[in-house]
């Protein structure tokens, strides 16, 4: 049997939000579209299947967004978290197009929910997908199916042939069999490299072995490497990633939302020497939770423990694994395999430093420590009410920043002028958010640039 | 069936995962009810499982559905817990009544009541006397009613709520609307993901045909009974009389509804259901359909000599249906409705 050759006007590599937006938009103009998704059908959708919302500009309340969130506020939020690491023209493009993006998504059967009790209080800035990211992806795939877009699963691109900026053909493994694909335009929307363990180890050394990948195991960053090998300009710090502290018992991949822990600011966090190492009450949790991945990664063996007492049970979102209980701090230390005397000393010292105040975990309250290093600036309460509880913590990677540089037409830069290679989604998100993160921005970048890439790829294919 | 403790442990495992995720909170009443809890006891799971309408939308949207190692399949596990709960709540105790056995018994009773009598010209009471008919069905109905009331009380007692709260008008009205409109199978206007992942109103519509068809038949019988006892107007009634029109419309509903539900069942995604309940579901659908079919035939042929035989068969099947009611699929309506009342009550009070 001869080798299979896949041909289409536009080939989209990737199977998440940005990829499907590009495919659907390209198909609107009548060109033939094939999607190459490296995951099997059950795991299609990349990290989008773990998402829940997208950040949207709006000048008046809508049925899914409260109050108003105007362009300037959105952009200043972005400037603040990225510390200026953003291409303003691309960022403003994303922000301005976000209201139309929502309407366009609805026209393809995507449903949003009126926000109920979102844990991070995002109903003003973020529109929530009804049922979450997998429901979103199901809607896109159903629409793609109806419109005659061909989707190939277990399709992993291995080579790209680009000459003078023009993509002609590439090679892939389709269900493990080598095959060839040809297209008049190519959209790269295949995510970052956060699940490529060898690559992570190259960047972070052996510490990376203890990292947990919160999302899909299929984001290997292959296309980033292939495009950079063909001269594409890169963007984003290859040594940076977005990481939060997740439950140390989480699965290596795909644990998603349920492994996050929101109890850190309500107690103390210690490393394997039973020492505190950072101010747990520095700022409101939604603003601080993303620094704890790095903080834990810096500790010996990349592990830490959140320690709380019975007073705060029920005051944070439940997580999937139960806390480890103990009747005393000593017993807790034994249960967590921490040095018992050191943990007792750390808790005693902390408890003595706590100043009286009015505890309120919803605001920056006045419960703080005095004379302690590091201090705990808010929500400091003595850990003295048994039973005591511990949660193991590991760094959980959400995404990586390294990607390819694009312009306003989503053309990949560095391949040649007027290239027929476009990029959308996490693979180019570093253009807009080169550092830090704003909740829900990744999905907005995916929709806006997915649509741009789809439109431009269809145009290039028609020429 | 798997041991109860395994089933409850599995239900608890799933709810802990779901409660840490909460992406499905916009779908139906189950997830907001879950969010009002931190722990999931057997009674909590019985309640949540009976609140679940088995639409499976949460399954298709679940990032943790199999083959993910968390293997979250709420509709299937809840279906199993639900089936168990029907047995737990059954009064005085659970008895499995097979449809064929029940129909045979029903026809034997009807034949015994009729003896060798025959009659023509739609003179039903010449075949089986009005008194015999009323006595038989009154006895069976009283038992069914007692079983339902007792089952309901057992379910409700687990909620820890007083009976007065159940009858609180605003709560009851809201829950009745949710039940009668099948709001939880509507998914905000697009219908449920049954028999497959595509949203569809088919199940809701066929259920409406079945349920309202059943109600119309009940109304027809009630009106006819009132005609007889209050006004002395005896059957047969004219084709365009109130009881016959109600019965005919109800009968048509009971033909379309069960056939439609069966047709959907044949096409459903078996990943989300408890296959073991099929015989219970199918008996119920079959008996409803046969009740209606023989009833309509009896109406059409009531002037012919076939009337006597058809009457025996029809009443036998109705009796058979009634015998299966206390411990069959019908009970889902009792516990589902009570669970809906409880959920409205909880929601109106906010978090526990």
């Amino acid at each position: 049997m001869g080798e299979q050759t896949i041909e289409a006007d536009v080939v989209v590599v990737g199977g998440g939000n940005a990829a499907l937006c590009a495919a659907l938009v390209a198909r609107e103009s009548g060109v033939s579209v094939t999607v190459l998704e490296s995951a099997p059908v059950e795991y299609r959708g990349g990290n989008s299947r773990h998402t829940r919302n997208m950040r949207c500009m709006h000048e008046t309340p809508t049925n899914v967004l409260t109050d108003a969130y105007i362009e300037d506020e959105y952009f200043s939020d972005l400037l603040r978290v990225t510390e200026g690491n953003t291409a303003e023209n691309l960022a403003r493009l994303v922000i301005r197009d976000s209201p139309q993006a929502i309407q366009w998504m609805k026209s393809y059967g995507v449903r949003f929910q009126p926000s109920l009790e979102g844990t991070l209080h995002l109903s003003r800035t973020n529109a929530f997908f009804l049922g979450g990211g997998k429901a979103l992806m199901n809607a896109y795939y159903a629409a793609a199916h109806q419109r005659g877009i061909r989707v190939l699963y277990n399709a992993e691109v291995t080579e790209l042939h680009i000459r003078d900026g023009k993509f002609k053909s590439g090679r892939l493994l389709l269900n493990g069999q080598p095959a060839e694909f040809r297209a008049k335009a190519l959209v790269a929307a295949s995510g970052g490299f956060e699940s490529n363990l060898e690559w992570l180890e190259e960047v972070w050394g052996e510490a990376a072995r203890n990292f947990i990948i919160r999302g899909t195991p299929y984001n290997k960053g292959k296309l980033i490497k292939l495009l950079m090998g063909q001269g594409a300009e890169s963007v984003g710090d290859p040594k940076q990633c977005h990481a939060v502290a997740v439950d140390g018992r989480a699965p290596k991949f795909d644990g998603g939302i349920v492994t996050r822990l929101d109890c850190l600011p309500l107690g103390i966090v210690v490393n394997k020497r039973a020492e505190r190492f950072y101010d747990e009450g520095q700022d409101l949790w939604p603003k601080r939770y993303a620094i704890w991945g790095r903080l834990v990664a810096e500790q010996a063996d990349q592990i830490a423990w959140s320690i709380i007492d019975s007073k705060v049970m029920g005051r944070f979102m439940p997580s999937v694994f139960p806390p480890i209980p103990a009747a005393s701090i000593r017993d807790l230390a034994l249960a967590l395999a921490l040095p018992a005397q050191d943990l007792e000393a750390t808790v005693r010292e902390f408890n003595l430093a706590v100043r009286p105040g009015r505890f309120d975990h919803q605001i920056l309250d006045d419960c703080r420590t005095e004379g302690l290093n590091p201090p705990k600036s808010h929500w400091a309460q003595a850990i003295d009410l048994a039973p005591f509880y511990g949660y193991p913590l590991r760094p959980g990677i959400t995404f990586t920043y390294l990607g390819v540089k694009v312009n306003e037409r989503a053309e990949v830069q560095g391949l040649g002028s007027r290239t027929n290679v476009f990029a959308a989604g996490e693979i180019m998100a570093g253009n807009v958010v080169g550092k830090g993160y704003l909740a829900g921005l990744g999905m907005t970048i995916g929709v806006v640039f997915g649509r741009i890439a789809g439109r431009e790829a269809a145009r290039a294919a028609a020429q | 069936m798997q041991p109860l403790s395994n089933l409850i442990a599995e239900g608890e495992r799933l709810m802990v995962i779901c409660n840490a995720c909460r992406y499905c909170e916009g779908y139906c009443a189950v997830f907001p009810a879950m969010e009002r809890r931190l722990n999931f006891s057997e009674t909590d799971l019985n309640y949540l499982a009976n609140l679940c309408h088995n639409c499976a939308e949460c399954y298709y949207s679940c990032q943790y559905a199999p083959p993910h190692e968390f293997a979250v399949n709420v509709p299937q596990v809840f279906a199993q817990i639900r089936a168990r709960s029907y047995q737990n709540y059954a009064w005085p105790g659970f008895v499995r009544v097979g449809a064929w056995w029940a129909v045979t018994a029903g026809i034997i009773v009807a034949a015994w009541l009729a003896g060798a009598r025959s009659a023509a010209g739609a003179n039903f009471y010449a075949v089986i006397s009005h008194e015999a008919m009323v006595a038989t069905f009154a006895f069976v109905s009283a038992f069914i009613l007692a079983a339902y009331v007792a089952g309901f009380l057992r379910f409700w007692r687990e909620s820890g709520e007083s009976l007065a709260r159940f009858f609180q008008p605003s709560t009851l009205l809201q829950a009745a609307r949710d039940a009668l409109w099948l709001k939880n199978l509507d998914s905000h206007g697009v219908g449920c993901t049954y028999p497959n992942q595509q949203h569809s109103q088919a199940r809701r519509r066929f259920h409406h045909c079945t349920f309202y068809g059943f109600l119309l038949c009940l109304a027809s019988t009630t009106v006819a009974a009132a005609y007889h006892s209050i006004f002395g107007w005896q059957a047969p009634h004219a084709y365009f009389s109130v009881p016959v029109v109600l019965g005919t419309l109800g009968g048509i509903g009971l033909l379309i509804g069960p056939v439609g539900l069966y047709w959907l069942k044949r096409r459903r995604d078996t990943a989300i259901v408890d296959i073991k309940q099929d015989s219970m579901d199918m008996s119920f659908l079959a008996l409803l359909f046969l009740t209606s079919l023989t009833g309509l035939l009896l109406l059409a042929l009531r002037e012919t000599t076939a009337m006597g035989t058809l009457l025996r068969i029809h009443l036998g099947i109705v009796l058979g249906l009634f015998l299966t009611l206390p411990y069959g699929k019908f009970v889902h309506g009792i516990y589902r409705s009570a669970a809906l009342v409880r959920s409205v009550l909880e929601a109106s009070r906010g978090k526990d």
Side-chain angles (χ1 to χ4, degrees), chain B residues 14 18 42 67 96 108 121 158 173 206 211 215-216 261 277 284 301 315:
Chain B
L14 296 191
C18 292
E42 186 180 343
R96 189 177 302 279
I108 290 172
E158 285 191 357
L173 212 68
F206 286 131
F211 176 72
L215 275 195
L216 286 172
L261 290 173
Q277 288 175 50
F284 187 49
L301 302 175
L315 289 182

Side-chain angles (χ1 to χ4, degrees), chain A residues 59-313:
Chain A
E59 272 154 11
T60 51
T62 73
N63 54 352
V64 294
L65 291 155
T66 57
D67 206 352
Y69 189 51
I70 59 170
E71 180 182 336
D72 286 344
E73 186 188 357
Y74 197 149
F75 185 67
S76 73
D77 282 347
L78 184 61
L79 272 185
R80 181 172 44 77
V81 297
T82 59
E83 296 171 357
N85 271 304
T86 181
E88 179 166 352
N89 60 330
L90 303 183
R92 288 200 183 266
L93 193 60
V94 168
I95 295 170
R96 281 178 200 150
D97 194 46
S98 60
Q100 286 94 299
I102 284 209
Q103 294 313 316
W104 178 86
M105 291 162 83
K106 285 182 178 169
S107 76
Y108 278 98
V110 173
R111 298 196 292 161
F112 292 87
Q113 82 173 66
S115 180
L116 300 171
E117 293 171 29
T119 49
L120 299 181
H121 315 293
L122 291 167
S123 63
R124 182 174 76 92
T125 53
N126 290 43
F128 283 65
F129 314 131
L130 183 66
K134 191 172 169 189
L136 166 82
M137 295 313 303
N138 288 343
Y140 285 148
Y141 276 100
H145 179 73
Q146 274 169 13
R147 286 161 180 79
I149 292 170
R150 181 159 62 152
V151 177
L152 298 174
Y153 298 102
N154 302 305
E156 192 184 5
V157 172
T158 54
E159 279 177 48
L160 294 179
H161 304 140
I162 300 170
R163 193 163 295 163
D164 303 326
K166 301 291 180 205
F167 167 82
K168 285 276 185 344
S169 70
R171 297 193 56 78
L172 76 158
L173 287 173
L174 183 57
N175 297 311
Q177 298 299 312
E180 189 181 340
F181 68 101
R182 299 173 171 280
K184 294 172 185 159
L186 183 77
V187 176
S190 51
F193 70 92
E194 60 277 356
S195 50
N196 188 327
L197 300 178
E198 295 78 34
W199 195 338
L200 295 182
E201 201 163 326
E202 272 172 40
V203 179
W204 286 284
E206 282 189 11
R209 290 183 192 173
N210 287 322
F211 290 2
I212 282 167
I213 320 306
R214 300 176 70 204
T216 176
Y218 297 94
N219 277 9
K220 303 274 194 197
K222 225 161 207 165
L223 225 55
I224 300 176
K225 269 201 172 138
L226 290 175
L227 287 169
M228 281 165 54
Q230 301 272 349
E233 282 180 56
S234 75
V235 73
D237 186 343
K239 290 196 184 306
Q240 288 298 319
C241 65
H242 180 275
V244 306
V246 298
D247 195 303
R249 295 163 289 182
K252 185 72 179 172
F253 293 102
D254 250 341
I257 188 76
V258 299
T259 63
R260 87 203 168 303
L261 287 168
D262 290 344
C263 59
L264 276 64
L266 300 177
I268 58 169
V269 178
V270 298
N271 58 22
K272 67 178 292 186
R273 290 194 303 273
E275 292 165 345
R276 290 177 60 247
F277 51 88
Y278 199 81
D279 181 354
E280 301 90 347
Q282 191 179 40
D283 202 344
L284 289 168
W285 186 236
K287 292 186 181 173
R288 277 295 167 267
Y289 84 112
I291 67 170
W292 280 89
R294 181 178 57 77
L295 290 172
V296 175
E298 288 165 357
Q299 303 308 307
D301 293 346
Q302 296 73 51
I303 191 155
W305 284 268
S306 167
I307 309 250
I308 55 175
D309 72 358
S310 294
K311 285 199 291 293
V312 298
M313 282 310 273

Side-chain angles (χ1 to χ4, degrees), chain B residues 256-268:
Chain B
I256 298 171
V259 167
L261 290 173
Y262 171 71
W263 180 74
L264 293 175
K265 209 179 225 334
R266 288 286 302 268
R267 277 152 191 77
R268 81 208 151 145

Side-chain angles (χ1 to χ4, degrees), chain A residues 42-43 49-52 111 113 116-117 130-132 134-135 138 251 254-258 260 317-320, chain B residues 16-17 19-23 25-27 38 57 60-64 67-70 187 190 197 199 351:
Chain A
E42 299 88 352
Y43 288 115
R49 60 195 289 279
H50 289 295
T51 64
R52 194 180 185 184
R111 298 196 292 161
Q113 82 173 66
L116 300 171
E117 293 171 29
L130 183 66
K134 191 172 169 189
N138 288 343
D254 250 341
I257 188 76
V258 299
R260 87 203 168 303
M317 266 284 286
S319 64
V320 69
Chain B
V16 167
I17 295 172
N19 207 21
C21 170
R22 302 189 173 187
Y23 281 18
E25 64 186 357
Y27 278 147
L38 281 175
E57 192 155 26
Y60 295 119
S61 302
C62 183
Q63 57 189 312
Y64 304 113
H68 191 283
E69 64 184 278
F70 287 172
S187 192
V190 295
Q197 204 176 323
H199 290 99
K351 296 206 170 205

